[in-house]
């Protein structure tokens, strides 16, 4: 199944058509092949055009245990560091932040958040404790800060990967002036020696992710994962810049931080999630 799906992904990326191989992988039992066969033959649809599919994806399957582990790790960090002023970068609708605050025995007195999506921020604001919310990218947010503005801890969960590497390094350097510590949680995605390894990895990880949703796997695969994967294969400009954890550590060092700890958080279908804590 996975070899057939991997070959289909390569054909989709290089030629735009993989109908026979998708059919073969589908007949072998691939959930993703069935979803891709339908999505690839229809009008192009974005990954977020079916809200119900995304809602099920983010709130069910492996995401429940992932975010449970992430929030628990953050709550313990607040206690260990005695955080008084917290900044969450790319907070989304608070899926990681709010449970962490609810679990922590030591809750920061001030919680500020930065999020470019107005819709996600609107959902979070009524539930946000004392603090301020900025609807900005990290880069734009940093240009507004005076030299006196500081936080004990800045945290970011699966958000820094959406910033292009050059912009991200510059932002991390600038952020260092305003924080005592920075905590990031990101996936330890594999490195590939060749294209064949990359497509085999994509096939295995997407298939594994889809199967976590049981009876709702066709909805999640067809409405969210397949459009996401097709966009990834067809894009001339990436929209995501994931990297191995060792590369995240090296990037923080280049930005002037000192890595204090690197801790495994959770084995997710996509890749293991790790927490890096760095001193500014």
């Amino acid at each position: 199944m996975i070899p057939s799906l991997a070959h289909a992904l390569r054909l989709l990326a290089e030629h735009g058509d993989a109908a026979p191989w998708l059919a073969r992988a589908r007949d072998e039992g691939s959930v993703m092949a069935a979803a891709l066969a339908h999505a690839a033959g229809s009008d192009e649809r974005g990954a977020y055009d079916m809200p119900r599919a995304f809602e099920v994806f983010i709130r069910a399957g492996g995401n429940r245990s992932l975010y449970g582990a992430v929030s628990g790790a953050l709550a313990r960090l607040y206690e260990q560091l005695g955080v008084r002023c917290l900044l969450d970068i790319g907070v989304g609708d608070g899926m990681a932040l709010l449970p962490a605050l609810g679990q922590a025995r030591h809750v920061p007195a001030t919680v500020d958040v930065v999020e470019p999506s107005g819709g996600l921020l609107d959902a979070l604001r009524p539930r946000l404790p004392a603090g301020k919310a900025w609807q900005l990218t990290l880069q734009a947010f940093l240009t507004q800060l005076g030299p006196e503005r500081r936080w004990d801890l800045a945290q970011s969960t699966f958000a820094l990967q959406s910033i292009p590497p050059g912009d991200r390094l510059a932002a991390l350097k600038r952020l260092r002036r305003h924080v005592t510590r920075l905590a990031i949680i990101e996936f330890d995605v594999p490195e590939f020696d060749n294209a064949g390894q990359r497509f085999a990895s994509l096939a295995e990880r997407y298939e594994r992710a889809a199967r976590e949703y049981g009876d709702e796997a066709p909805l999640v695969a067809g409405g969210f994962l397949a459009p996401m994967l097709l966009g990834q294969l067809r894009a001339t400009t990436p929209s995501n810049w994931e990297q191995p954890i060792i590369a995240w550590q090296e990037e923080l060092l280049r930005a002037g931080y000192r890595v204090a700890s690197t801790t495994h958080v959770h084995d997710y279908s996509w890749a293991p999630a790790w927490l890096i804590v760095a001193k500014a």
Side-chain angles (χ1 to χ4, degrees), residues 181-235:
R181 287 180 176 86
L182 171 64
I184 68 172
I185 297 181
E186 290 287 353
F187 293 120
D188 186 19
V189 296
E191 286 188 297
F192 309 109
D193 294 328
N194 54 60
Q197 289 182 356
R198 173 175 176 260
F199 290 114
S201 178
L202 286 174
E204 182 178 355
R205 288 187 286 156
Y206 268 95
E207 186 72 26
R208 186 166 59 231
R211 288 179 175 275
E212 289 188 342
Y213 292 87
D215 292 343
E216 294 191 285
L219 169 67
V220 173
F224 179 71
L225 293 176
M228 176 71 74
L229 178 52
L230 286 172
Q232 187 174 356
L233 295 174
R234 294 168 172 171

CSV table of all heavy atoms in Angstrom, one decimal, residues 181-235:
chain,number,residue,atom,x,y,z
A,181,ARG,N,13.4,33.8,28.7
A,181,ARG,CA,13.4,32.4,28.1
A,181,ARG,C,12.5,32.3,26.9
A,181,ARG,O,11.4,33.0,26.9
A,181,ARG,CB,13.2,31.3,29.1
A,181,ARG,CG,14.3,31.1,30.2
A,181,ARG,CD,13.9,30.1,31.1
A,181,ARG,NE,15.0,29.8,32.1
A,181,ARG,CZ,15.1,30.4,33.2
A,181,ARG,NH1,14.3,31.4,33.5
A,181,ARG,NH2,16.1,30.1,34.0
A,182,LEU,N,12.8,31.4,26.0
A,182,LEU,CA,11.9,31.0,24.9
A,182,LEU,C,11.7,29.5,24.9
A,182,LEU,O,12.7,28.8,25.0
A,182,LEU,CB,12.5,31.5,23.6
A,182,LEU,CG,11.8,31.0,22.3
A,182,LEU,CD1,10.4,31.6,22.2
A,182,LEU,CD2,12.7,31.3,21.1
A,183,ALA,N,10.4,29.1,24.8
A,183,ALA,CA,10.1,27.7,24.7
A,183,ALA,C,9.3,27.5,23.4
A,183,ALA,O,8.3,28.1,23.1
A,183,ALA,CB,9.2,27.3,25.9
A,184,ILE,N,9.8,26.5,22.6
A,184,ILE,CA,9.1,26.2,21.4
A,184,ILE,C,8.8,24.7,21.4
A,184,ILE,O,9.6,23.9,21.9
A,184,ILE,CB,9.9,26.6,20.2
A,184,ILE,CG1,11.2,25.7,20.0
A,184,ILE,CG2,10.2,28.1,20.2
A,184,ILE,CD1,11.9,26.0,18.7
A,185,ILE,N,7.7,24.3,20.9
A,185,ILE,CA,7.4,22.9,20.7
A,185,ILE,C,7.1,22.7,19.2
A,185,ILE,O,6.3,23.4,18.6
A,185,ILE,CB,6.1,22.5,21.5
A,185,ILE,CG1,6.4,22.6,23.0
A,185,ILE,CG2,5.7,21.0,21.1
A,185,ILE,CD1,5.2,22.2,23.8
A,186,GLU,N,7.9,21.8,18.6
A,186,GLU,CA,7.9,21.6,17.2
A,186,GLU,C,8.1,20.1,16.9
A,186,GLU,O,8.5,19.3,17.8
A,186,GLU,CB,9.0,22.4,16.4
A,186,GLU,CG,8.7,23.9,16.4
A,186,GLU,CD,7.6,24.3,15.4
A,186,GLU,OE1,7.1,23.4,14.7
A,186,GLU,OE2,7.2,25.5,15.4
A,187,PHE,N,7.8,19.7,15.7
A,187,PHE,CA,8.0,18.3,15.3
A,187,PHE,C,9.4,18.0,14.8
A,187,PHE,O,10.0,18.8,14.1
A,187,PHE,CB,7.0,17.9,14.2
A,187,PHE,CG,5.5,18.0,14.6
A,187,PHE,CD1,4.7,18.8,13.9
A,187,PHE,CD2,5.1,17.1,15.6
A,187,PHE,CE1,3.3,18.8,14.3
A,187,PHE,CE2,3.8,17.2,16.0
A,187,PHE,CZ,2.9,18.0,15.3
A,188,ASP,N,9.9,16.8,15.2
A,188,ASP,CA,11.2,16.4,14.7
A,188,ASP,C,11.0,15.7,13.4
A,188,ASP,O,11.1,14.4,13.3
A,188,ASP,CB,11.8,15.5,15.8
A,188,ASP,CG,13.2,15.1,15.5
A,188,ASP,OD1,13.9,15.8,14.6
A,188,ASP,OD2,13.7,14.1,16.0
A,189,VAL,N,10.8,16.4,12.3
A,189,VAL,CA,10.6,15.8,11.0
A,189,VAL,C,11.9,15.2,10.5
A,189,VAL,O,13.0,15.7,10.7
A,189,VAL,CB,10.0,16.8,10.0
A,189,VAL,CG1,8.6,17.3,10.5
A,189,VAL,CG2,10.9,18.0,9.8
A,190,PRO,N,11.8,14.1,9.7
A,190,PRO,CA,13.0,13.5,9.2
A,190,PRO,C,13.7,14.3,8.1
A,190,PRO,O,13.0,15.1,7.4
A,190,PRO,CB,12.5,12.2,8.7
A,190,PRO,CG,11.0,12.4,8.4
A,190,PRO,CD,10.6,13.4,9.4
A,191,GLU,N,14.9,14.1,7.9
A,191,GLU,CA,15.7,14.6,6.8
A,191,GLU,C,15.7,13.5,5.7
A,191,GLU,O,15.7,12.3,6.0
A,191,GLU,CB,17.1,15.0,7.2
A,191,GLU,CG,17.2,16.3,7.9
A,191,GLU,CD,18.6,16.7,8.1
A,191,GLU,OE1,19.4,16.0,8.8
A,191,GLU,OE2,18.9,17.8,7.6
A,192,PHE,N,15.8,13.9,4.4
A,192,PHE,CA,15.8,12.9,3.4
A,192,PHE,C,17.0,13.1,2.5
A,192,PHE,O,17.5,14.2,2.2
A,192,PHE,CB,14.5,13.1,2.5
A,192,PHE,CG,13.3,13.2,3.3
A,192,PHE,CD1,12.6,14.3,3.4
A,192,PHE,CD2,12.8,12.0,3.9
A,192,PHE,CE1,11.4,14.4,4.2
A,192,PHE,CE2,11.6,12.1,4.7
A,192,PHE,CZ,10.9,13.3,4.8
A,193,ASP,N,17.6,11.9,2.1
A,193,ASP,CA,18.7,11.9,1.2
A,193,ASP,C,18.3,12.0,-0.3
A,193,ASP,O,19.1,12.4,-1.1
A,193,ASP,CB,19.6,10.7,1.4
A,193,ASP,CG,20.2,10.6,2.8
A,193,ASP,OD1,20.5,11.7,3.3
A,193,ASP,OD2,20.3,9.5,3.3
A,194,ASN,N,17.1,11.7,-0.6
A,194,ASN,CA,16.6,11.7,-1.9
A,194,ASN,C,15.1,11.9,-2.0
A,194,ASN,O,14.4,11.7,-1.0
A,194,ASN,CB,17.1,10.5,-2.7
A,194,ASN,CG,16.6,9.2,-2.0
A,194,ASN,OD1,15.5,8.9,-1.8
A,194,ASN,ND2,17.6,8.4,-1.6
A,195,ALA,N,14.6,12.1,-3.2
A,195,ALA,CA,13.2,12.3,-3.4
A,195,ALA,C,12.4,11.1,-3.0
A,195,ALA,O,11.2,11.2,-2.5
A,195,ALA,CB,12.9,12.7,-4.8
A,196,GLY,N,12.9,9.9,-3.3
A,196,GLY,CA,12.2,8.7,-3.0
A,196,GLY,C,11.9,8.5,-1.5
A,196,GLY,O,10.8,8.1,-1.1
A,197,GLN,N,12.8,8.9,-0.7
A,197,GLN,CA,12.6,8.8,0.8
A,197,GLN,C,11.6,9.8,1.2
A,197,GLN,O,10.7,9.5,2.1
A,197,GLN,CB,13.9,9.1,1.5
A,197,GLN,CG,15.0,8.0,1.4
A,197,GLN,CD,16.2,8.3,2.2
A,197,GLN,OE1,16.4,9.4,2.7
A,197,GLN,NE2,17.2,7.4,2.2
A,198,ARG,N,11.6,11.0,0.6
A,198,ARG,CA,10.6,12.0,0.9
A,198,ARG,C,9.2,11.6,0.6
A,198,ARG,O,8.3,11.7,1.5
A,198,ARG,CB,10.9,13.3,0.2
A,198,ARG,CG,9.9,14.4,0.4
A,198,ARG,CD,10.2,15.7,-0.3
A,198,ARG,NE,9.2,16.7,-0.2
A,198,ARG,CZ,8.3,17.0,-1.2
A,198,ARG,NH1,8.4,16.4,-2.4
A,198,ARG,NH2,7.4,17.9,-1.0
A,199,PHE,N,9.0,11.0,-0.5
A,199,PHE,CA,7.6,10.6,-0.9
A,199,PHE,C,7.2,9.4,-0.1
A,199,PHE,O,6.0,9.3,0.3
A,199,PHE,CB,7.5,10.4,-2.4
A,199,PHE,CG,7.6,11.6,-3.2
A,199,PHE,CD1,8.7,11.8,-4.1
A,199,PHE,CD2,6.7,12.6,-3.2
A,199,PHE,CE1,8.8,13.0,-4.8
A,199,PHE,CE2,6.8,13.8,-3.9
A,199,PHE,CZ,7.9,14.0,-4.7
A,200,ALA,N,8.1,8.5,0.2
A,200,ALA,CA,7.7,7.4,1.1
A,200,ALA,C,7.3,7.9,2.5
A,200,ALA,O,6.4,7.4,3.1
A,200,ALA,CB,8.9,6.4,1.1
A,201,SER,N,8.1,8.9,3.0
A,201,SER,CA,7.7,9.4,4.3
A,201,SER,C,6.4,10.1,4.3
A,201,SER,O,5.6,9.9,5.2
A,201,SER,CB,8.8,10.4,4.7
A,201,SER,OG,8.5,10.9,6.0
A,202,LEU,N,6.1,10.9,3.3
A,202,LEU,CA,4.8,11.6,3.2
A,202,LEU,C,3.7,10.6,3.1
A,202,LEU,O,2.7,10.8,3.8
A,202,LEU,CB,4.8,12.5,1.9
A,202,LEU,CG,5.6,13.8,2.0
A,202,LEU,CD1,5.6,14.5,0.6
A,202,LEU,CD2,5.0,14.7,3.0
A,203,ALA,N,3.9,9.6,2.3
A,203,ALA,CA,2.8,8.5,2.2
A,203,ALA,C,2.5,7.9,3.5
A,203,ALA,O,1.4,7.7,3.9
A,203,ALA,CB,3.2,7.5,1.1
A,204,GLU,N,3.6,7.5,4.2
A,204,GLU,CA,3.4,6.8,5.5
A,204,GLU,C,2.8,7.7,6.5
A,204,GLU,O,1.9,7.3,7.2
A,204,GLU,CB,4.8,6.3,5.9
A,204,GLU,CG,4.7,5.5,7.2
A,204,GLU,CD,6.0,5.0,7.7
A,204,GLU,OE1,7.0,5.1,6.9
A,204,GLU,OE2,6.1,4.4,8.8
A,205,ARG,N,3.2,8.9,6.6
A,205,ARG,CA,2.8,9.8,7.7
A,205,ARG,C,1.3,10.3,7.4
A,205,ARG,O,0.5,10.3,8.3
A,205,ARG,CB,3.7,11.0,7.8
A,205,ARG,CG,5.1,10.6,8.4
A,205,ARG,CD,5.9,11.8,8.7
A,205,ARG,NE,6.5,12.4,7.5
A,205,ARG,CZ,6.9,13.6,7.4
A,205,ARG,NH1,6.8,14.5,8.4
A,205,ARG,NH2,7.5,14.1,6.3
A,206,TYR,N,1.0,10.6,6.2
A,206,TYR,CA,-0.4,11.0,5.9
A,206,TYR,C,-1.4,9.8,6.1
A,206,TYR,O,-2.5,10.0,6.6
A,206,TYR,CB,-0.5,11.6,4.5
A,206,TYR,CG,-0.3,13.1,4.4
A,206,TYR,CD1,0.9,13.6,4.1
A,206,TYR,CD2,-1.4,13.9,4.6
A,206,TYR,CE1,1.1,15.0,4.0
A,206,TYR,CE2,-1.2,15.3,4.5
A,206,TYR,CZ,0.0,15.8,4.2
A,206,TYR,OH,0.2,17.2,4.2
A,207,GLU,N,-1.0,8.7,5.6
A,207,GLU,CA,-1.8,7.5,5.8
A,207,GLU,C,-2.1,7.2,7.3
A,207,GLU,O,-3.2,6.9,7.7
A,207,GLU,CB,-1.2,6.3,5.1
A,207,GLU,CG,-2.1,5.0,5.1
A,207,GLU,CD,-3.3,5.2,4.2
A,207,GLU,OE1,-3.3,5.9,3.2
A,207,GLU,OE2,-4.3,4.5,4.4
A,208,ARG,N,-1.0,7.2,8.1
A,208,ARG,CA,-1.1,7.0,9.5
A,208,ARG,C,-2.0,8.0,10.2
A,208,ARG,O,-2.8,7.7,11.0
A,208,ARG,CB,0.3,7.0,10.1
A,208,ARG,CG,0.4,6.6,11.6
A,208,ARG,CD,1.8,6.3,12.0
A,208,ARG,NE,2.6,7.5,11.9
A,208,ARG,CZ,3.8,7.4,11.2
A,208,ARG,NH1,4.3,6.3,10.7
A,208,ARG,NH2,4.6,8.5,11.2
A,209,ALA,N,-1.9,9.3,9.8
A,209,ALA,CA,-2.7,10.3,10.3
A,209,ALA,C,-4.2,10.1,10.0
A,209,ALA,O,-5.0,10.2,10.9
A,209,ALA,CB,-2.3,11.7,9.8
A,210,ALA,N,-4.5,9.8,8.8
A,210,ALA,CA,-5.9,9.6,8.4
A,210,ALA,C,-6.5,8.4,9.2
A,210,ALA,O,-7.7,8.5,9.6
A,210,ALA,CB,-6.0,9.3,6.9
A,211,ARG,N,-5.8,7.3,9.4
A,211,ARG,CA,-6.3,6.1,10.0
A,211,ARG,C,-6.7,6.3,11.5
A,211,ARG,O,-7.4,5.5,12.0
A,211,ARG,CB,-5.4,5.0,9.8
A,211,ARG,CG,-5.4,4.5,8.4
A,211,ARG,CD,-4.4,3.3,8.1
A,211,ARG,NE,-4.5,2.8,6.8
A,211,ARG,CZ,-5.4,1.9,6.4
A,211,ARG,NH1,-6.3,1.4,7.3
A,211,ARG,NH2,-5.5,1.5,5.2
A,212,GLU,N,-6.1,7.4,12.1
A,212,GLU,CA,-6.4,7.6,13.5
A,212,GLU,C,-7.8,8.1,13.7
A,212,GLU,O,-8.3,8.1,14.8
A,212,GLU,CB,-5.5,8.7,14.0
A,212,GLU,CG,-4.0,8.3,14.2
A,212,GLU,CD,-3.2,9.3,14.9
A,212,GLU,OE1,-3.6,10.5,15.0
A,212,GLU,OE2,-2.1,8.9,15.4
A,213,TYR,N,-8.6,8.4,12.6
A,213,TYR,CA,-9.9,8.9,12.8
A,213,TYR,C,-11.0,7.9,12.6
A,213,TYR,O,-12.2,8.3,12.6
A,213,TYR,CB,-10.1,10.1,11.8
A,213,TYR,CG,-9.2,11.3,12.3
A,213,TYR,CD1,-7.9,11.4,11.8
A,213,TYR,CD2,-9.7,12.3,13.2
A,213,TYR,CE1,-7.1,12.4,12.3
A,213,TYR,CE2,-8.9,13.3,13.6
A,213,TYR,CZ,-7.6,13.4,13.2
A,213,TYR,OH,-6.7,14.4,13.6
A,214,GLY,N,-10.7,6.7,12.4
A,214,GLY,CA,-11.7,5.6,12.4
A,214,GLY,C,-12.7,5.8,11.4
A,214,GLY,O,-12.5,6.0,10.2
A,215,ASP,N,-14.0,5.8,11.8
A,215,ASP,CA,-15.1,6.0,10.9
A,215,ASP,C,-15.1,7.3,10.2
A,215,ASP,O,-15.7,7.5,9.1
A,215,ASP,CB,-16.5,5.8,11.7
A,215,ASP,CG,-16.7,4.4,12.2
A,215,ASP,OD1,-16.0,3.5,11.6
A,215,ASP,OD2,-17.5,4.2,13.1
A,216,GLU,N,-14.5,8.3,10.8
A,216,GLU,CA,-14.4,9.7,10.2
A,216,GLU,C,-13.2,9.9,9.4
A,216,GLU,O,-13.0,11.0,8.9
A,216,GLU,CB,-14.6,10.7,11.3
A,216,GLU,CG,-15.9,10.7,12.0
A,216,GLU,CD,-16.2,11.9,12.8
A,216,GLU,OE1,-15.6,12.0,13.9
A,216,GLU,OE2,-17.0,12.8,12.4
A,217,ALA,N,-12.4,8.8,9.1
A,217,ALA,CA,-11.2,9.0,8.3
A,217,ALA,C,-11.5,9.5,6.9
A,217,ALA,O,-10.8,10.3,6.4
A,217,ALA,CB,-10.5,7.6,8.3
A,218,PRO,N,-12.6,9.0,6.2
A,218,PRO,CA,-12.8,9.5,4.9
A,218,PRO,C,-13.1,11.0,4.9
A,218,PRO,O,-12.7,11.7,4.0
A,218,PRO,CB,-14.1,8.7,4.4
A,218,PRO,CG,-14.0,7.4,5.2
A,218,PRO,CD,-13.4,7.8,6.5
A,219,LEU,N,-13.8,11.5,5.9
A,219,LEU,CA,-14.1,12.9,6.0
A,219,LEU,C,-12.8,13.7,6.2
A,219,LEU,O,-12.6,14.7,5.5
A,219,LEU,CB,-15.1,13.2,7.2
A,219,LEU,CG,-15.3,14.7,7.6
A,219,LEU,CD1,-16.0,15.4,6.4
A,219,LEU,CD2,-16.0,14.8,8.9
A,220,VAL,N,-12.0,13.3,7.1
A,220,VAL,CA,-10.8,14.0,7.4
A,220,VAL,C,-9.8,13.9,6.2
A,220,VAL,O,-9.2,14.9,5.8
A,220,VAL,CB,-10.1,13.5,8.7
A,220,VAL,CG1,-8.7,14.1,8.9
A,220,VAL,CG2,-11.0,13.8,9.9
A,221,ALA,N,-9.7,12.7,5.6
A,221,ALA,CA,-8.8,12.6,4.5
A,221,ALA,C,-9.2,13.3,3.3
A,221,ALA,O,-8.4,14.0,2.7
A,221,ALA,CB,-8.6,11.1,4.2
A,222,GLY,N,-10.5,13.3,3.0
A,222,GLY,CA,-11.0,13.9,1.8
A,222,GLY,C,-11.2,15.4,2.0
A,222,GLY,O,-10.9,16.2,1.0
A,223,GLY,N,-11.6,15.9,3.1
A,223,GLY,CA,-11.9,17.3,3.3
A,223,GLY,C,-10.7,18.1,3.8
A,223,GLY,O,-10.7,19.4,3.6
A,224,PHE,N,-9.7,17.5,4.4
A,224,PHE,CA,-8.6,18.3,4.9
A,224,PHE,C,-7.2,17.7,4.5
A,224,PHE,O,-6.4,18.5,3.9
A,224,PHE,CB,-8.6,18.3,6.4
A,224,PHE,CG,-7.5,19.1,7.0
A,224,PHE,CD1,-7.4,20.5,6.9
A,224,PHE,CD2,-6.4,18.5,7.7
A,224,PHE,CE1,-6.3,21.2,7.4
A,224,PHE,CE2,-5.4,19.2,8.2
A,224,PHE,CZ,-5.3,20.5,8.1
A,225,LEU,N,-6.9,16.5,4.8
A,225,LEU,CA,-5.6,16.0,4.5
A,225,LEU,C,-5.3,15.9,3.0
A,225,LEU,O,-4.1,16.3,2.6
A,225,LEU,CB,-5.4,14.6,5.1
A,225,LEU,CG,-5.5,14.5,6.6
A,225,LEU,CD1,-5.4,13.1,7.1
A,225,LEU,CD2,-4.3,15.3,7.2
A,226,ALA,N,-6.2,15.5,2.2
A,226,ALA,CA,-5.9,15.4,0.7
A,226,ALA,C,-5.6,16.8,0.1
A,226,ALA,O,-4.6,17.0,-0.6
A,226,ALA,CB,-7.0,14.7,0.0
A,227,PRO,N,-6.5,17.8,0.4
A,227,PRO,CA,-6.2,19.1,-0.1
A,227,PRO,C,-4.9,19.7,0.4
A,227,PRO,O,-4.1,20.4,-0.3
A,227,PRO,CB,-7.4,20.0,0.3
A,227,PRO,CG,-8.5,19.0,0.5
A,227,PRO,CD,-7.8,17.8,1.0
A,228,MET,N,-4.6,19.4,1.7
A,228,MET,CA,-3.3,19.8,2.3
A,228,MET,C,-2.1,19.2,1.6
A,228,MET,O,-1.1,19.9,1.2
A,228,MET,CB,-3.3,19.4,3.8
A,228,MET,CG,-2.0,19.8,4.5
A,228,MET,SD,-1.7,21.5,4.7
A,228,MET,CE,-2.9,21.8,6.1
A,229,LEU,N,-2.2,17.9,1.3
A,229,LEU,CA,-1.1,17.2,0.7
A,229,LEU,C,-1.0,17.6,-0.8
A,229,LEU,O,0.2,17.8,-1.3
A,229,LEU,CB,-1.4,15.7,0.7
A,229,LEU,CG,-0.3,14.8,0.1
A,229,LEU,CD1,1.1,15.1,0.5
A,229,LEU,CD2,-0.7,13.3,0.3
A,230,LEU,N,-2.1,17.8,-1.5
A,230,LEU,CA,-2.0,18.3,-2.9
A,230,LEU,C,-1.4,19.6,-3.0
A,230,LEU,O,-0.6,19.9,-3.8
A,230,LEU,CB,-3.4,18.3,-3.5
A,230,LEU,CG,-3.9,16.9,-3.9
A,230,LEU,CD1,-5.4,17.0,-4.3
A,230,LEU,CD2,-3.1,16.2,-4.9
A,231,GLY,N,-1.7,20.5,-2.0
A,231,GLY,CA,-1.1,21.8,-2.0
A,231,GLY,C,0.4,21.8,-1.7
A,231,GLY,O,1.2,22.5,-2.3
A,232,GLN,N,0.8,20.8,-0.9
A,232,GLN,CA,2.2,20.7,-0.6
A,232,GLN,C,3.0,20.1,-1.8
A,232,GLN,O,4.1,20.6,-2.1
A,232,GLN,CB,2.3,19.7,0.6
A,232,GLN,CG,3.7,19.5,1.1
A,232,GLN,CD,3.7,18.6,2.4
A,232,GLN,OE1,2.7,18.2,2.9
A,232,GLN,NE2,4.9,18.4,2.9
A,233,LEU,N,2.3,19.2,-2.5
A,233,LEU,CA,3.0,18.6,-3.7
A,233,LEU,C,3.1,19.6,-4.9
A,233,LEU,O,4.0,19.6,-5.7
A,233,LEU,CB,2.3,17.4,-4.2
A,233,LEU,CG,2.3,16.2,-3.2
A,233,LEU,CD1,1.4,15.1,-3.7
A,233,LEU,CD2,3.7,15.7,-2.9
A,234,ARG,N,2.1,20.5,-5.0
A,234,ARG,CA,1.9,21.3,-6.2
A,234,ARG,C,2.5,22.7,-6.0
A,234,ARG,O,2.7,23.5,-7.0
A,234,ARG,CB,0.5,21.4,-6.6
A,234,ARG,CG,-0.1,20.1,-7.1
A,234,ARG,CD,-1.6,20.2,-7.2
A,234,ARG,NE,-2.2,19.1,-7.9
A,234,ARG,CZ,-3.5,18.8,-8.0
A,234,ARG,NH1,-4.4,19.7,-7.4
A,234,ARG,NH2,-4.0,17.7,-8.6
A,235,ALA,N,2.8,23.1,-4.8
A,235,ALA,CA,3.2,24.4,-4.5
A,235,ALA,C,4.6,24.7,-5.0
A,235,ALA,O,5.5,23.9,-4.9
A,235,ALA,CB,3.2,24.7,-3.0
